[in-house]
Amino acid sequence: MTAEGAVISVERDIIEQSGTIRNILSDVGSSDKPIPVPNVSGPILSKIIEYCRHHRNDPGRRQPKESSTLEESDSSDAVIQRAIEQMDEFDHQFCRVDQGTLFDIILAANFLDIQPLLDLAGYTVANMMKGKSVEEIRSTFNIKNDFSPEEEEEIMKENAWCEN
C-alpha cells in the first residue's frame, strides 16, 4: 500500500528484491493484506516495481546483504567498475528522470532496502557531479551556500590538496 493508500499487486518474487518487504514477509508469513509502504508514493513504487521486474532473474537479487559480502582485497574502484559493467541499457535509461523523481527513487530504494537500485541511483547522482566545480554542483542541485566568505575561504585552504 503506497503513501496515498493505493494498493498495487506485485508478484512475490518481484517484491522480495526488497530486503524490507522480504523481512516483513518472513516475520508475518503469507497474507492477503497489503503491506504498507508509507514512505513511497504510487508513481515511485510503480517505477521501482518496473526496475525489479526487469531484474527479476538476476542472480542474488533476493539474498540478504550478509550473503553478498565483498572480497577483502576488492578496492572501491574495482567494485564500482564491476557494477558499471553489469548495467544494461535499461539501467542507463531508468535513471534519466527529473531530479525530484531521482531523489524519490533514492529515498524509496533506501527505505525498501533494494541495494542495486540504490547503487544505480547513487551512481547517477555522482555522474551528475563529476567534473563540476562547487558552484556548478550547488547550482545543479539547488544547494544554498550557507558559509560566510571567511568560512568558505578557510574550507578551501584546508582542502586545497584535493583540487585538480
Side-chain angles (χ1 to χ4, degrees):
M1 184 178 331
T2 67
E4 304 87 2
V7 176
I8 300 175
S9 296
V10 184
E11 304 90 326
R12 188 174 180 128
D13 69 314
I14 300 295
I15 203 61
E16 281 184 342
Q17 290 180 50
S18 162
T20 303
I21 301 297
R22 192 173 48 248
N23 289 337
I24 291 171
L25 290 171
S26 72
D27 288 346
V28 299
S30 292
S31 172
D32 290 338
K33 293 185 179 182
I35 297 171
V37 284
N39 299 355
V40 184
S41 70
I44 296 300
L45 185 57
S46 294
K47 188 126 177 93
I48 288 173
I49 291 168
E50 173 190 358
Y51 174 87
C52 291
R53 279 196 175 113
H54 177 78
H55 289 287
R56 85 183 318 160
N57 296 319
D58 292 359
R61 284 291 172 149
R62 287 175 293 285
Q63 296 175 358
K65 285 181 187 176
E66 298 80 43
S67 65
S68 60
T69 58
L70 299 173
E71 295 286 326
E72 290 289 327
S73 62
D74 280 352
S75 70
S76 61
D77 289 341
V79 172
I80 291 168
Q81 188 59 39
R82 264 198 314 272
I84 292 168
E85 289 168 2
Q86 291 174 350
M87 294 167 73
D88 59 14
E89 186 58 30
F90 174 89
D91 291 331
H92 289 289
Q93 296 301 319
F94 184 81
C95 286
R96 290 188 184 205
V97 294
D98 63 87
Q99 275 187 24
T101 301
L102 181 60
F103 291 137
D104 286 345
I105 289 170
I106 290 171
L107 292 171
N110 185 53
F111 173 74
L112 292 169
D113 188 17
I114 305 173
Q115 193 61 47
L117 177 54
L118 188 56
D119 292 344
L120 173 63
Y123 174 75
T124 302
V125 172
N127 271 338
M128 292 168 71
M129 295 176 10
K130 190 174 186 176
K132 291 188 177 182
S133 69
V134 172
E135 293 78 22
E136 290 170 321
I137 292 170
R138 284 183 182 139
S139 175
T140 299
F141 297 106
N142 298 315
I143 299 170
K144 180 181 175 250
N145 181 4
D146 56 356
F147 292 114
S148 69
E150 295 81 21
E151 291 171 322
E152 191 164 0
E153 183 179 340
E154 181 65 30
I155 291 169
M156 295 300 243
K157 284 180 187 175
E158 289 173 5
N159 295 294
W161 62 270
C162 66
E163 292 295 318
N164 297 337

mmCIF file of all heavy atoms in Angstrom, residues 73-92:
data_model
loop_
_atom_site.group_PDB
_atom_site.id
_atom_site.type_symbol
_atom_site.label_atom_id
_atom_site.label_comp_id
_atom_site.label_asym_id
_atom_site.label_seq_id
_atom_site.Cartn_x
_atom_site.Cartn_y
_atom_site.Cartn_z
ATOM 1 N N SER A 73 40.093 -7.887 -0.594
ATOM 2 C CA SER A 73 41.062 -7.257 -1.476
ATOM 3 C C SER A 73 40.419 -6.326 -2.509
ATOM 4 O O SER A 73 41.122 -5.617 -3.209
ATOM 5 C CB SER A 73 41.880 -8.334 -2.191
ATOM 6 O OG SER A 73 41.017 -9.121 -2.985
ATOM 7 N N ASP A 74 39.093 -6.343 -2.628
ATOM 8 C CA ASP A 74 38.427 -5.510 -3.626
ATOM 9 C C ASP A 74 38.537 -4.035 -3.256
ATOM 10 O O ASP A 74 38.163 -3.627 -2.168
ATOM 11 C CB ASP A 74 36.940 -5.859 -3.735
ATOM 12 C CG ASP A 74 36.685 -7.091 -4.571
ATOM 13 O OD1 ASP A 74 37.640 -7.581 -5.195
ATOM 14 O OD2 ASP A 74 35.540 -7.560 -4.589
ATOM 15 N N SER A 75 39.059 -3.244 -4.185
ATOM 16 C CA SER A 75 39.087 -1.807 -3.968
ATOM 17 C C SER A 75 37.718 -1.254 -4.340
ATOM 18 O O SER A 75 36.958 -1.883 -5.080
ATOM 19 C CB SER A 75 40.163 -1.161 -4.835
ATOM 20 O OG SER A 75 39.786 -1.206 -6.197
ATOM 21 N N SER A 76 37.407 -0.079 -3.842
ATOM 22 C CA SER A 76 36.113 0.515 -4.190
ATOM 23 C C SER A 76 36.043 0.783 -5.686
ATOM 24 O O SER A 76 34.978 0.671 -6.288
ATOM 25 C CB SER A 76 35.861 1.784 -3.382
ATOM 26 O OG SER A 76 36.864 2.740 -3.650
ATOM 27 N N ASP A 77 37.171 1.113 -6.307
ATOM 28 C CA ASP A 77 37.187 1.322 -7.759
ATOM 29 C C ASP A 77 36.821 0.047 -8.502
ATOM 30 O O ASP A 77 36.071 0.082 -9.480
ATOM 31 C CB ASP A 77 38.563 1.814 -8.231
ATOM 32 C CG ASP A 77 38.852 3.249 -7.796
ATOM 33 O OD1 ASP A 77 37.897 3.966 -7.457
ATOM 34 O OD2 ASP A 77 40.036 3.625 -7.802
ATOM 35 N N ALA A 78 37.334 -1.096 -8.037
ATOM 36 C CA ALA A 78 37.029 -2.378 -8.679
ATOM 37 C C ALA A 78 35.553 -2.722 -8.522
ATOM 38 O O ALA A 78 34.906 -3.203 -9.452
ATOM 39 C CB ALA A 78 37.895 -3.484 -8.093
ATOM 40 N N VAL A 79 35.008 -2.448 -7.342
ATOM 41 C CA VAL A 79 33.591 -2.716 -7.093
ATOM 42 C C VAL A 79 32.729 -1.839 -7.993
ATOM 43 O O VAL A 79 31.776 -2.310 -8.618
ATOM 44 C CB VAL A 79 33.244 -2.481 -5.602
ATOM 45 C CG1 VAL A 79 31.751 -2.554 -5.370
ATOM 46 C CG2 VAL A 79 33.976 -3.488 -4.725
ATOM 47 N N ILE A 80 33.082 -0.572 -8.102
ATOM 48 C CA ILE A 80 32.339 0.357 -8.957
ATOM 49 C C ILE A 80 32.430 -0.076 -10.416
ATOM 50 O O ILE A 80 31.429 -0.093 -11.129
ATOM 51 C CB ILE A 80 32.849 1.807 -8.767
ATOM 52 C CG1 ILE A 80 32.481 2.314 -7.373
ATOM 53 C CG2 ILE A 80 32.288 2.724 -9.845
ATOM 54 C CD1 ILE A 80 33.173 3.599 -6.978
ATOM 55 N N GLN A 81 33.619 -0.446 -10.844
ATOM 56 C CA GLN A 81 33.801 -0.879 -12.234
ATOM 57 C C GLN A 81 32.953 -2.106 -12.541
ATOM 58 O O GLN A 81 32.317 -2.182 -13.592
ATOM 59 C CB GLN A 81 35.281 -1.158 -12.524
ATOM 60 C CG GLN A 81 35.563 -1.413 -13.978
ATOM 61 C CD GLN A 81 35.153 -0.249 -14.876
ATOM 62 O OE1 GLN A 81 35.332 0.914 -14.529
ATOM 63 N NE2 GLN A 81 34.576 -0.557 -16.013
ATOM 64 N N ARG A 82 32.906 -3.087 -11.629
ATOM 65 C CA ARG A 82 32.070 -4.280 -11.831
ATOM 66 C C ARG A 82 30.598 -3.898 -11.920
ATOM 67 O O ARG A 82 29.859 -4.430 -12.747
ATOM 68 C CB ARG A 82 32.294 -5.285 -10.703
ATOM 69 C CG ARG A 82 33.297 -6.344 -11.039
ATOM 70 C CD ARG A 82 33.196 -7.550 -10.122
ATOM 71 N NE ARG A 82 33.093 -7.257 -8.718
ATOM 72 C CZ ARG A 82 34.134 -7.088 -7.896
ATOM 73 N NH1 ARG A 82 35.359 -7.179 -8.345
ATOM 74 N NH2 ARG A 82 33.941 -6.838 -6.621
ATOM 75 N N ALA A 83 30.167 -2.982 -11.050
ATOM 76 C CA ALA A 83 28.760 -2.557 -11.062
ATOM 77 C C ALA A 83 28.413 -1.887 -12.390
ATOM 78 O O ALA A 83 27.343 -2.140 -12.954
ATOM 79 C CB ALA A 83 28.487 -1.611 -9.900
ATOM 80 N N ILE A 84 29.308 -1.063 -12.897
ATOM 81 C CA ILE A 84 29.074 -0.389 -14.178
ATOM 82 C C ILE A 84 28.980 -1.412 -15.302
ATOM 83 O O ILE A 84 28.107 -1.312 -16.170
ATOM 84 C CB ILE A 84 30.184 0.650 -14.460
ATOM 85 C CG1 ILE A 84 30.076 1.807 -13.464
ATOM 86 C CG2 ILE A 84 30.105 1.165 -15.891
ATOM 87 C CD1 ILE A 84 31.265 2.729 -13.450
ATOM 88 N N GLU A 85 29.854 -2.402 -15.278
ATOM 89 C CA GLU A 85 29.847 -3.437 -16.317
ATOM 90 C C GLU A 85 28.558 -4.253 -16.304
ATOM 91 O O GLU A 85 28.142 -4.772 -17.338
ATOM 92 C CB GLU A 85 31.059 -4.354 -16.150
ATOM 93 C CG GLU A 85 32.365 -3.673 -16.512
ATOM 94 C CD GLU A 85 33.590 -4.456 -16.085
ATOM 95 O OE1 GLU A 85 33.448 -5.567 -15.530
ATOM 96 O OE2 GLU A 85 34.704 -3.947 -16.299
ATOM 97 N N GLN A 86 27.928 -4.384 -15.133
ATOM 98 C CA GLN A 86 26.701 -5.174 -15.024
ATOM 99 C C GLN A 86 25.464 -4.382 -15.450
ATOM 100 O O GLN A 86 24.400 -4.952 -15.621
ATOM 101 C CB GLN A 86 26.520 -5.688 -13.593
ATOM 102 C CG GLN A 86 27.541 -6.730 -13.208
ATOM 103 C CD GLN A 86 27.447 -7.135 -11.752
ATOM 104 O OE1 GLN A 86 26.739 -6.519 -10.964
ATOM 105 N NE2 GLN A 86 28.177 -8.166 -11.398
ATOM 106 N N MET A 87 25.603 -3.087 -15.632
ATOM 107 C CA MET A 87 24.469 -2.264 -16.033
ATOM 108 C C MET A 87 24.118 -2.537 -17.483
ATOM 109 O O MET A 87 24.994 -2.674 -18.326
ATOM 110 C CB MET A 87 24.799 -0.778 -15.843
ATOM 111 C CG MET A 87 24.978 -0.388 -14.400
ATOM 112 S SD MET A 87 25.714 1.249 -14.225
ATOM 113 C CE MET A 87 24.364 2.288 -14.677
ATOM 114 N N ASP A 88 22.837 -2.621 -17.765
ATOM 115 C CA ASP A 88 22.410 -2.801 -19.149
ATOM 116 C C ASP A 88 21.749 -1.509 -19.634
ATOM 117 O O ASP A 88 21.680 -0.517 -18.900
ATOM 118 C CB ASP A 88 21.491 -4.019 -19.295
ATOM 119 C CG ASP A 88 20.227 -3.924 -18.448
ATOM 120 O OD1 ASP A 88 19.891 -2.833 -17.940
ATOM 121 O OD2 ASP A 88 19.557 -4.967 -18.296
ATOM 122 N N GLU A 89 21.269 -1.518 -20.846
ATOM 123 C CA GLU A 89 20.663 -0.306 -21.423
ATOM 124 C C GLU A 89 19.472 0.163 -20.595
ATOM 125 O O GLU A 89 19.257 1.362 -20.416
ATOM 126 C CB GLU A 89 20.258 -0.556 -22.874
ATOM 127 C CG GLU A 89 19.756 0.681 -23.589
ATOM 128 C CD GLU A 89 20.761 1.832 -23.631
ATOM 129 O OE1 GLU A 89 21.979 1.595 -23.635
ATOM 130 O OE2 GLU A 89 20.294 2.997 -23.668
ATOM 131 N N PHE A 90 18.705 -0.784 -20.078
ATOM 132 C CA PHE A 90 17.567 -0.441 -19.225
ATOM 133 C C PHE A 90 18.038 0.409 -18.049
ATOM 134 O O PHE A 90 17.437 1.436 -17.725
ATOM 135 C CB PHE A 90 16.868 -1.717 -18.721
ATOM 136 C CG PHE A 90 15.779 -1.440 -17.724
ATOM 137 C CD1 PHE A 90 14.477 -1.209 -18.150
ATOM 138 C CD2 PHE A 90 16.049 -1.405 -16.366
ATOM 139 C CE1 PHE A 90 13.472 -0.948 -17.232
ATOM 140 C CE2 PHE A 90 15.054 -1.140 -15.440
ATOM 141 C CZ PHE A 90 13.758 -0.906 -15.881
ATOM 142 N N ASP A 91 19.119 -0.027 -17.378
ATOM 143 C CA ASP A 91 19.637 0.705 -16.225
ATOM 144 C C ASP A 91 20.074 2.111 -16.607
ATOM 145 O O ASP A 91 19.813 3.074 -15.881
ATOM 146 C CB ASP A 91 20.809 -0.041 -15.592
ATOM 147 C CG ASP A 91 20.400 -1.332 -14.920
ATOM 148 O OD1 ASP A 91 19.251 -1.423 -14.446
ATOM 149 O OD2 ASP A 91 21.229 -2.260 -14.861
ATOM 150 N N HIS A 92 20.736 2.217 -17.754
ATOM 151 C CA HIS A 92 21.192 3.541 -18.198
ATOM 152 C C HIS A 92 20.006 4.476 -18.448
ATOM 153 O O HIS A 92 20.087 5.670 -18.164
ATOM 154 C CB HIS A 92 22.054 3.427 -19.453
ATOM 155 C CG HIS A 92 23.403 2.829 -19.194
ATOM 156 N ND1 HIS A 92 24.396 3.494 -18.520
ATOM 157 C CD2 HIS A 92 23.911 1.613 -19.494
ATOM 158 C CE1 HIS A 92 25.467 2.733 -18.424
ATOM 159 N NE2 HIS A 92 25.199 1.577 -19.002
#
